[in-house]
Amino acid sequence: MRMYDIIDKKRLGNKLSKEEIAFFVNGYTEGSIPDYQASALLMAIAINGMDVEETTELTLLMAKSGEMLDLSVIKGVHVDKHSSGGVGDKTTLIIGPMVAALGIPVAKMSGRGLGHTGGTIDKLESIPGFNTSLSKETFFNNVNTLGLAVAGQTANLAPADKKLYALRDVTATVSSIPLIAASIMSKKLAAGADVIVLDVKTGSGAFMKTVDGAVELAHRMVDIGNNAGRKTFAIITDMNDPLGTAVGNALEVIEAIEALKGNGDAKLMEVVYTLASYMVFGAGTASSPEQARTMLEETIRSGKALETFAKFVKAQGGDDRFVFDTSLFKLGSVKEDLLSDTEGYITNILADEVGIASLILGGGREKKDDVIDPGVGIVIHKKTSDRVTVGEPIATLYANDTAKLEEAKKRLYGAFTFGSEKTIGYRTIYEIIR
């Protein structure tokens, strides 16, 4: 078998066999296939696509290119949630304790963020002492005793994806739906969950800018998951506005804690409850998503979700005092309000611009080796369709560098659009794919 023939076959728009896909994935992971040939095939896939069978095979081979986590030592049905990324997305911090409080094990492997804000790992590490470098034994034991553990992804989890993503990033093939689906699902399958719930975001702050594109990606990932024997659901959620009110690592942890106390932003909680309901329903703990939601709401009212979060923080070395007193978090030394210079209504907030403003402050990474400042970020006080008056605070910025603050402030103000008439705003949930 020759790589040249595989490239040529896909260049002509033909379907690749399982053997040809295996030859490519195994050869590139081992280093016998050079970057220039792998790049050529990736571009041919980006142009001509892959069907569900091809994409599933690519995904499975990428998942099996490294360690496949065996969660059988964890009691119960194993559930996982994945977000396609966005601005202000702290849903894992809220969902994990809620679901675990219902006795459903949540064993989550998460990554660090590259972009507007940190990933789940970065957010959690803004809690002093919190440790995500857990041994397998500690990870499994924490899930069995507390119902919840979050650890950093191991270097050997889907290594084929790691190599291929780095190549896609420099060859303009990141946006290919089969390649996106294979990348996301290979890591989810390798992580070992029985039930996978996907949060596929759409809008200005999401990778998929259109609802149609998000739906297409979601269907492909659900097909892959189900074909691989995992019960898979996808929820298409809005990311035109930032999710919740906080953007920035410690600020998002504070907002998540407030949500667990019952003080969550309405749109944020709608996304949280929808995703978590399908995790609980998929695990078989509830007979319907509606029943699951009722059960989840009770974990907030009773305080069990907050209690679970505090125990989870302590078990992973974090200072659980911060859960009960969020004033202990060290936020940016410079705090400044962004004031409206207009009277009327907010007609739009560009989530991606808010994210870039947070990145400028130091809340995210442009390069993998960038150091995140956990205390900086933005709190938004006014959302789309809200009325504002001249001089009224619409957001607050937290910074540790005055030059960065001024640059971020200009960028943030440009994210807001004002008008004389009230707009309806965006839907929160666009579609649920079961």
Side-chain angles (χ1 to χ4, degrees):
M1 192 174 293
R2 296 192 310 160
M3 189 61 192
Y4 176 95
D5 298 323
I6 296 171
I7 296 167
D8 193 46
K9 185 175 182 180
K10 183 49 71 175
R11 180 185 67 83
L12 296 171
N14 296 318
K15 180 174 178 174
L16 299 180
S17 69
K18 291 183 178 182
E19 293 74 20
E20 288 166 331
I21 297 170
F23 181 85
F24 163 61
V25 172
N26 296 335
Y28 187 61
T29 305
E30 294 163 0
S32 60
I33 293 172
D35 281 353
Y36 62 85
Q37 285 190 314
S39 299
L41 182 59
L42 291 175
M43 185 58 73
I45 292 169
I47 293 169
N48 293 317
M50 284 182 138
D51 67 16
V52 174
E53 191 177 347
E54 285 176 292
T55 311
T56 300
E57 190 62 28
L58 175 64
T59 306
L60 289 170
L61 285 161
M62 287 165 61
K64 293 173 182 176
S65 65
E67 181 182 12
M68 296 286 286
L69 285 182
D70 180 5
L71 301 183
S72 60
V73 295
I74 297 173
K75 299 167 236 169
V77 179
H78 316 119
V79 299
D80 196 4
K81 188 248 352 159
H82 173 82
S83 169
S84 61
V87 180
D89 183 5
K90 71 282 295 178
T91 55
T92 294
L93 306 180
I94 309 167
I95 289 171
M98 291 168 66
V99 173
L102 293 175
I104 302 167
V106 181
K108 184 144 187 68
M109 305 292 289
S110 289
R112 299 187 183 278
L114 187 62
H116 305 134
T117 57
T120 299
I121 295 294
D122 299 298
K123 293 180 188 12
L124 286 168
E125 287 180 349
S126 67
I127 303 171
F130 196 94
N131 175 34
T132 58
S133 299
L134 305 178
S135 68
K136 279 188 186 178
E137 292 74 18
T138 300
F139 181 72
F140 292 148
N141 182 64
N142 284 4
V143 179
N144 275 328
T145 55
L146 302 173
L148 174 64
V150 177
Q153 289 177 353
T154 65
N156 200 34
L157 196 73
D161 173 62
K162 199 170 188 179
K163 284 194 73 174
L164 286 169
Y165 189 87
L167 194 59
R168 288 167 56 211
D169 199 31
V170 295
T171 57
T173 54
V174 168
S175 61
S176 163
I177 283 181
L179 296 177
I180 297 170
S183 176
I184 292 171
M185 292 303 293
S186 63
K187 293 189 286 286
K188 292 294 105 182
L189 296 180
D194 303 309
V195 179
I196 301 169
V197 177
L198 303 163
D199 178 6
V200 183
K201 298 189 179 300
T202 181
S204 69
F207 186 77
M208 305 305 295
K209 302 298 182 187
T210 67
V211 175
D212 287 346
V215 169
E216 183 183 353
L217 174 61
H219 273 290
R220 184 62 64 96
M221 291 193 292
V222 169
D223 286 341
I224 291 169
N226 289 332
N227 287 343
R230 314 294 173 89
K231 193 181 289 187
T232 309
F233 307 91
I235 321 294
I236 313 298
T237 66
D238 182 68
M239 188 41 72
N240 284 294
D241 290 344
L243 188 58
T245 59
V247 180
N249 296 282
L251 289 168
E252 291 187 44
V253 174
I254 292 170
E255 184 176 13
I257 291 169
E258 285 302 310
L260 290 168
K261 291 177 180 177
N263 306 317
D265 171 81
K267 182 174 178 177
L268 169 63
M269 294 310 293
E270 184 60 30
V271 173
V272 163
Y273 281 127
T274 304
L275 295 170
S277 292
Y278 277 88
M279 292 170 74
V280 174
F281 170 61
T285 305
S287 59
S288 68
E290 293 74 22
Q291 183 190 24
R293 178 166 181 149
T294 300
M295 295 164 69
L296 290 159
E297 288 171 347
E298 181 57 27
T299 70
I300 299 292
R301 277 193 297 270
S302 66
K304 286 184 179 178
L306 181 66
E307 181 185 344
T308 300
F309 185 71
K311 289 179 179 177
F312 153 68
V313 168
K314 189 173 183 179
Q316 294 198 207
D319 189 341
D320 62 343
R321 293 178 303 158
F322 283 65
V323 177
F324 302 106
D325 182 4
T326 55
S327 68
L328 294 172
F329 280 94
K330 186 179 179 182
L331 300 178
S333 58
V334 184
K335 177 182 175 183
E336 189 167 324
D337 288 335
L338 182 72
L339 306 178
S340 171
D341 62 2
T342 303
E343 181 163 346
Y345 294 92
I346 295 175
T347 57
N348 195 25
I349 304 174
L350 294 173
D352 53 346
E353 289 296 302
V354 176
I356 292 169
S358 177
L359 179 64
I360 291 168
L361 291 170
R365 294 184 183 87
E366 289 189 271
K367 303 185 297 294
K368 286 184 180 179
D369 55 355
D370 286 348
V371 177
I372 280 181
D373 185 341
V376 303
I378 298 159
V379 174
I380 296 168
H381 305 305
K382 295 290 184 177
K383 293 293 196 76
T384 299
S385 79
D386 285 349
R387 182 168 179 77
V388 295
T389 57
V390 175
E392 186 176 10
I394 55 177
T396 300
L397 297 90
Y398 293 81
N400 284 313
D401 183 309
T402 53
K404 289 180 179 179
L405 173 64
E406 289 307 310
E407 185 184 353
K409 195 174 174 183
K410 290 176 187 174
R411 193 82 187 218
L412 181 60
Y413 200 81
F416 288 83
T417 304
F418 303 88
S420 58
E421 295 183 5
K422 185 173 183 176
T423 55
I424 297 173
Y426 299 99
R427 291 167 59 186
T428 303
I429 308 295
Y430 290 98
E431 192 169 332
I432 298 173
I433 298 164
R434 298 174 61 157

